[in-house]
Amino acid sequence: MKTTVLFDMDGVISDTQEMQSKIESDLLSKFGVIISPKTLTNKYAGIRSQDFFKEMLDKKKVKYNLEELMQEKRKLVLKKIKTELKEIPQATDLIKKLYSEKYKLAVVSSSNKTLVETILKKLKIKKYFSVIITGNDVKKSKPDPEGYLLASKKLNSKPKECVVIEDAKNGMVAGKRARMFVIGLVQKKSKEKYPADLLVKSHSQIIKLDLKQL
């Protein structure tokens, strides 16, 4: 029986995945690395930005300060979310429903701790999560299962008792590697094959499910 639901944040709770990808694309272009926000989202969503920034910039063999680059990204994202932050439709409804039904809830995000907590507070939903795992808490980001396994451990839940909700392929792979049931939230039509146990187009579909029986 499922007792625990683990949420990704960007693209699942908050409409911030495309926002972050646009900022990352702009920052990389300053070093001569040209990659579109769409490609960044498709290929690297769920992976810590410092990890793929380092990979790309090392290949380019340019001089850079990774910590300064990450600080600049955080500053730009924080500025954007003050005026442009929106929730994924019905994300809050789903979270409140699961909380009222006594599910154990956690956020597992590859984003920086400051960004994650700022977004959850701004959406007024931080109180519903017993555990919050960010990119600061793990050595390896998605698709490695470390974050999801750490969350389940902190919640005293077995992997088989957990449901993961993810929008990114890397996150779905992480959930499957953690041996959890994975729901893939794919809002737009895509020809890609997603490694999820169940694909949905909206949170309204998840609201109607009896997660305990998955």
Side-chain angles (χ1 to χ4, degrees):
M1 183 179 290
K2 302 297 187 286
T3 63
T4 304
V5 183
L6 310 178
F7 286 81
D8 175 45
M9 187 184 71
D10 299 307
V12 170
I13 293 175
S14 58
D15 190 11
T16 45
Q17 181 57 58
E18 292 183 5
M19 178 194 299
Q20 295 214 47
S21 293
K22 174 65 167 64
I23 289 169
E24 290 159 355
S25 175
D26 290 344
L27 287 172
L28 286 167
S29 70
K30 294 179 180 180
F31 296 92
V33 178
I34 308 303
I35 182 168
S36 70
K38 183 177 179 180
T39 300
L40 276 173
T41 295
N42 290 343
K43 190 172 181 180
Y44 294 106
I47 299 176
R48 290 182 300 191
S49 53
Q50 61 260 44
D51 292 339
F52 65 77
F53 269 35
K54 187 176 188 305
E55 176 188 320
M56 291 180 183
L57 294 174
D58 284 350
K59 283 182 180 179
K60 195 71 174 178
K61 295 182 179 179
V62 295
K63 291 184 178 180
Y64 66 97
N65 184 305
L66 187 59
E67 182 53 37
E68 288 181 3
L69 197 53
M70 292 304 97
Q71 288 178 0
E72 179 68 9
K73 184 206 160 178
R74 288 194 290 273
K75 183 178 76 174
L76 292 170
V77 175
L78 285 169
K79 183 178 179 180
K80 277 274 188 183
I81 64 177
K82 285 181 179 179
T83 56
E84 298 181 21
L85 179 65
K86 296 179 182 178
E87 71 163 321
I88 297 297
Q90 292 192 282
T92 297
D93 292 339
L94 173 61
I95 291 163
K96 289 180 177 179
K97 177 179 183 287
L98 295 174
Y99 182 83
S100 70
E101 293 175 353
K102 308 300 182 185
Y103 282 93
K104 292 183 278 187
L105 304 180
V107 171
V108 181
S109 173
S110 296
S111 290
N112 172 270
K113 181 178 180 180
T114 301
L115 294 180
V116 173
E117 296 204 342
T118 299
I119 289 169
L120 296 179
K121 287 176 182 176
K122 192 167 179 64
L123 293 176
K124 299 179 180 179
I125 54 175
K126 185 182 176 185
K127 64 183 179 181
Y128 298 111
F129 296 100
S130 302
V131 168
I132 297 172
I133 303 296
T134 72
N136 299 80
D137 301 309
V138 296
K139 293 180 180 179
K140 296 180 180 180
S141 63
K142 304 168 187 175
D144 192 275
E146 182 183 354
Y148 282 118
L149 292 172
L150 180 59
S152 65
K153 183 179 180 180
K154 285 180 175 290
L155 289 169
N156 293 314
S157 299
K158 297 176 182 178
K160 66 180 180 181
E161 297 171 334
C162 297
V163 175
V164 167
I165 303 178
E166 271 282 357
D167 69 312
K169 185 179 287 187
N170 288 313
M172 295 177 202
V173 171
K176 291 305 299 175
R177 287 179 177 174
R179 300 192 176 187
M180 298 173 180
F181 188 96
V182 177
I183 297 177
L185 176 65
V186 182
Q187 300 182 78
K188 298 178 181 179
K189 286 186 177 181
S190 174
K191 294 181 180 179
E192 286 195 66
K193 292 185 178 181
Y194 290 92
D197 297 289
L198 175 66
L199 289 177
V200 298
K201 294 180 180 179
S202 68
H203 283 310
S204 62
Q205 290 177 262
I206 305 176
I207 288 172
K208 295 174 183 177
L209 296 173
D210 181 0
L211 298 187
K212 288 185 173 64
Q213 303 306 317
L214 293 178

